[in-house]
Amino acid sequence: MSVNHAVRAPAGLCHYVPVLPPPPRSGAADRCPGLLRPHHADDGALVRLRVPGGALTAGMFAALRSVADEFGDGRIHLTSRANVQLRALPTDPDGQLPGRIVDVLRTAGLLPSPRHERVRNIVCSPLSGIAGGRADVRGLAGALDRALCAAPELAALPGRFLFGIDDGRGDVAGMGCDVLALAETPGRARIVAGDLAGPAVPLRAVPGALIALARGFAGAADGRWRVRELPRRGAELLDGHATGTLPDAPAPAMAYGALPGGALSVLAPLGVLTPEQGDALAAAAGGDGTLIVTPWRGIVVVPQEAPRCGALARLADSGLATTADSPWTRVTACVGAPGCAKSAGDTHAAARAAAAGPPGQVSSGLFQTLPAHVTLPVHVVGCPRACGAPRGPHTLLQLGSRK
């Protein structure tokens, strides 16, 4: 849900725009971008690269940084599905990326199956096996991705279809996944279609069970994008084995700072990694470490060896948030102008102003008629589409032009 308030942007007064339910999408075009199907924005081509489970090797991260620096805006953009985007890229006369860009990212392992590139949307509990959770599910995202890429018929899944693997803490379960495995014990997980709980299976059977649900959806979709849009909201995928509705429980807060085993958790303000932040993250991970992108637009660094003394301080000095009380845990924004032609203004400047407020609040210096009690987090947008809005209660602040 969202609560709309009028705001004042540098460009002029804003106006109230209600957030309406999305219109039926049956038969609508699926425009989710990919490496081989870039989106043409005002600042150049945008590509989205799927990162199953959010897990990037050091080599993958280096390839992303290299392409962003040489061809794009120099930054890596993190998404709410733990994927990454590169912006301001060049295209050829046919609207495609230069072959060199594709080759660099393919060689790094970021395009294992061109046919499946836009459907490899797999979120996984980012702290699994590091801290908390009922089971270590780290290996399941990779196994699911391999099974997905080995199924030619699933290349036609919608780009919005989302697989989820939750280690039992409930962080991924609240993300609106289409099909989900929710760990209940160290060795078993509950299979979920939409909001409907199905049978429990051994952890090793999770990839096959989720692939079976995805096949069922592909056969029943009839132009629909999401499981909850099916006539029976996913019950048709469970073959009569639905055991009830998945409980609606609040997701736990993400941990930031130093974690067990030498891991480090940070948040990228507005989901954007600058070149300096990339340097600090690469140094903290080392040549053999892993960087896990989180659905909250952060990074968990898992080095193979103990991190160097001062690694967390260097990450903080680069501008990354390293504590749970950072204002960036409560303020987000769409990309805004100048990257998006539909935006009425610079949403990132407005978000930075909002983040300047005291702990637990947002600054009202840029905003007009902002109520005393604002539902956090706050999401700043430049048009009624409200791209990137967080799930759950939040306050939507829409920039607008003077009329």
Side-chain angles (χ1 to χ4, degrees), residues 222-328:
D222 192 25
R224 299 176 181 87
W225 292 355
R226 310 301 302 274
V227 164
R228 291 169 183 81
E229 296 171 2
L230 293 173
R232 298 174 59 203
R233 298 183 60 81
E236 50 268 82
L237 308 183
L238 294 171
D239 294 328
H241 293 106
T243 60
T245 303
L246 189 69
D248 186 12
M254 183 65 190
Y256 295 103
L259 303 175
L264 304 171
S265 176
V266 298
L267 180 69
L270 300 175
V272 178
L273 295 176
T274 66
E276 295 75 18
Q277 291 164 351
D279 289 343
L281 287 164
D288 298 320
T290 301
L291 300 102
I292 302 173
V293 182
T294 78
W296 305 278
R297 297 181 174 92
I299 297 281
V300 177
V301 181
V302 187
Q304 287 288 80
E305 301 178 357
R308 297 176 182 175
C309 181
L312 186 62
R314 185 182 178 193
L315 292 172
D317 289 344
S318 73
L320 294 165
T322 59
T323 61
D325 62 355
S326 166
W328 293 115

Side-chain angles (χ1 to χ4, degrees), residues 21 35 61-62 87 140 145 147 169 195 215 218 227 238 258 264-265 313 389:
L35 180 62
F61 191 59
R87 298 190 66 99
L140 295 180
D145 183 42
R169 76 185 70 215
D195 297 317
R215 284 195 174 104
V227 164
L238 294 171
L264 304 171
S265 176

Side-chain angles (χ1 to χ4, degrees), residues 206-223:
V206 161
L210 295 184
I211 289 294
L213 291 181
R215 284 195 174 104
F217 174 80
D222 192 25

Side-chain angles (χ1 to χ4, degrees), residues 39-59:
H39 168 71
H40 300 282
D42 264 22
D43 57 349
L46 174 152
V47 298
R48 182 177 303 153
L49 295 121
R50 275 66 179 182
V51 186
L56 290 169
T57 65

Side-chain angles (χ1 to χ4, degrees), residues 143-145 147-151 153-154 157 161 163 178-181 191-194 199 201 204-221 227 230 234-239 241:
L144 174 58
D145 183 42
L148 177 61
C149 291
E153 70 278 14
L154 295 185
L157 282 172
F161 192 90
F163 295 87
D178 291 283
V179 296
L180 169 76
I191 299 302
V192 181
V201 301
R204 66 179 179 276
V206 161
L210 295 184
I211 289 294
L213 291 181
R215 284 195 174 104
F217 174 80
V227 164
L230 293 173
E236 50 268 82
L237 308 183
L238 294 171
D239 294 328
H241 293 106

